[in-house]
Amino acid sequence: MLLRASTCELALLLFAGLLCRPDAPTVAGRASQVCTSCYIPPAISPEPITFKRLLPPGDPATVQEIVTGLGLHAAAGRARPYVVLNMIATLDGRATLNGRSGPISDSADRALFHGLRSVVDAVMAGAGTVRTEKYGPIVRDPELRRLRVERGLSERPLACVVTASLDLPPDLPLLADPDSQVAIVTGSDASLPETPACGGAARVEYVRARREDDDGSHARPSLDLPAALAKLHDRLHIRTLLCEGGPHLNTQLLSAGLVDELFLSVSPLLAGGGGGGEGEGDRGGGDSDLGGSGLRDGGLPPLRILAGTDLRSPIELELCSALEHDSRLFLRYRVMDGG
């Protein structure tokens, strides 16, 4: 009887009170509106989800077989972390529907989302995404934590929150989790308030890097992303970094030449639209809380995987692999112009 229940019903039974990215955010939680911390429960299925290997061709593979073969740490070895973006979009480019990425996700996408988190040193997101999706512990599943240790990684990845204002809610589950280690990446000299849920539970440290050309004329200090990533590498020993958005942070990373790969989940949906404002989602969520003169997402057209200022010139990508599950494509690109 239990096995015949829907995924959402099982999630409610097993994770009551937890929020898996409202509606179903990026690779971490789209499920029900009753959840309240950015945790996308792993797909609940009698058997592991398998993906068809389209490019290069090969036998069907499970999530763990796929992520184990990525070789991200082998590709690292520079003065900054090896940076991978993970995003989701419809066929016509929408990263959100009604402000959330959940409606364009499915169990296979969520499974890969969690799989990617299990093979990196750190997971980064902009403060807007973290606020909207109420981020909680990055890897909750004990089995995934065990696999991380077997791979020579820490049991839990470092959670990196990029923010200029340090405007994080005092009840944010991530900051209230005593087992989480959080790096606040900012150009500001400010710190989080010392409250029971903010700075008093999770281990919080600051990676501060202000742009040298910041003359103080902006309302919020401008973050020097290259310097911040160099500090993550040198001081916190972060070799591989998974970025989950939002689109403004994605654009800034790409503009600075700091992205090495893009993982894109392509949902077999057409959404249309182009006017009207949407809020922030997870991978689809916006975050202009990065300093400088950025604007907030309210009132802007539906979000794509990039937002904010135009790139100086289009960035060329090379397709490395393609997977398929239930007409959904999972594409891995190498950034040709990466830093």
Side-chain angles (χ1 to χ4, degrees):
M1 185 71 181
L2 183 61
L3 292 178
R4 297 180 62 185
S6 68
T7 299
C8 183
E9 290 169 337
L10 289 172
L12 288 174
L13 288 171
L14 296 176
F15 302 103
L18 298 177
L19 172 86
C20 336
R21 294 190 312 188
D23 285 346
T26 359
V27 168
R30 312 157 184 15
S32 106
Q33 297 177 342
V34 301
C35 298
T36 53
S37 74
C38 177
Y39 170 54
I40 301 177
I44 301 174
S45 174
E47 298 180 1
I49 294 174
T50 58
F51 297 79
K52 295 179 182 177
R53 295 185 187 267
L54 304 181
L55 179 72
D59 295 333
T62 64
V63 168
Q64 287 305 314
E65 289 171 338
I66 292 165
V67 299
T68 300
L70 293 176
L72 298 181
H73 280 81
R78 58 185 73 195
R80 64 163 177 83
Y82 192 82
V83 177
V84 176
L85 299 185
N86 185 28
M87 299 300 293
I88 187 171
T90 63
L91 281 169
D92 55 346
R94 292 280 296 274
T96 61
L97 293 180
N98 299 320
R100 304 291 182 188
S101 59
I104 58 178
S105 177
D106 72 350
S107 59
D109 172 61
R110 292 191 290 272
L112 268 180
F113 176 89
H114 286 288
L116 287 173
R117 282 184 166 191
S118 74
V119 293
V120 295
D121 294 320
V123 174
M124 173 182 281
T129 293
V130 170
R131 287 191 298 263
T132 300
E133 303 305 342
K134 299 184 187 300
Y135 264 46
I138 300 300
V139 177
R140 289 180 182 261
D141 187 345
E143 176 62 15
L144 291 182
R145 296 201 301 267
R146 183 188 67 79
L147 289 173
R148 286 182 56 84
V149 173
E150 286 187 358
R151 293 179 174 121
L153 303 173
S154 61
E155 188 175 7
R156 295 171 176 82
L158 176 70
C160 302
V161 181
V162 180
T163 177
S165 67
L166 277 76
D167 180 15
L168 297 173
D171 60 347
L172 186 70
L174 175 63
L175 295 176
D177 176 48
D179 294 320
S180 291
Q181 182 177 2
V182 181
I184 302 297
V185 181
T186 183
S188 172
D189 294 326
S191 298
L192 296 174
E194 291 292 338
T195 65
C198 195
R203 292 164 291 165
V204 178
E205 53 188 300
Y206 297 85
V207 176
R208 305 183 193 275
R210 180 178 295 195
R211 284 174 47 179
E212 292 183 359
D213 60 355
D214 186 345
D215 58 6
S217 61
H218 298 307
R220 293 174 292 182
S222 300
L223 173 64
D224 186 335
L225 273 172
L229 263 62
K231 290 184 177 182
L232 285 173
H233 179 276
D234 296 342
R235 177 153 64 91
L236 300 181
H237 310 292
I238 301 302
R239 297 166 296 163
T240 54
L241 177 69
L242 175 67
C243 179
E244 299 176 351
H248 290 84
L249 177 56
N250 294 343
T251 299
Q252 294 199 17
L253 288 167
L254 283 162
S255 296
L258 298 174
V259 178
D260 299 288
E261 296 190 22
L262 167 66
F263 287 87
L264 180 63
S265 173
V266 182
S267 174
L269 297 173
L270 296 173
E278 290 196 353
E280 301 174 355
D282 198 312
R283 283 176 295 181
D287 183 3
S288 59
D289 185 19
L290 303 176
S293 56
L295 300 175
R296 292 191 177 275
D297 287 332
L300 293 180
L303 289 169
R304 314 292 173 177
I305 67 173
L306 300 181
T309 58
D310 290 341
L311 298 173
R312 289 186 296 273
S313 60
I315 294 176
E316 183 180 356
L317 307 178
E318 178 184 36
L319 182 63
C320 299
S321 68
L323 307 169
E324 185 270 339
H325 184 274
D326 284 350
S327 297
R328 182 181 299 269
L329 295 176
F330 301 89
L331 308 176
R332 180 188 185 187
Y333 287 97
R334 182 168 66 90
V335 180
M336 303 297 287
D337 299 330

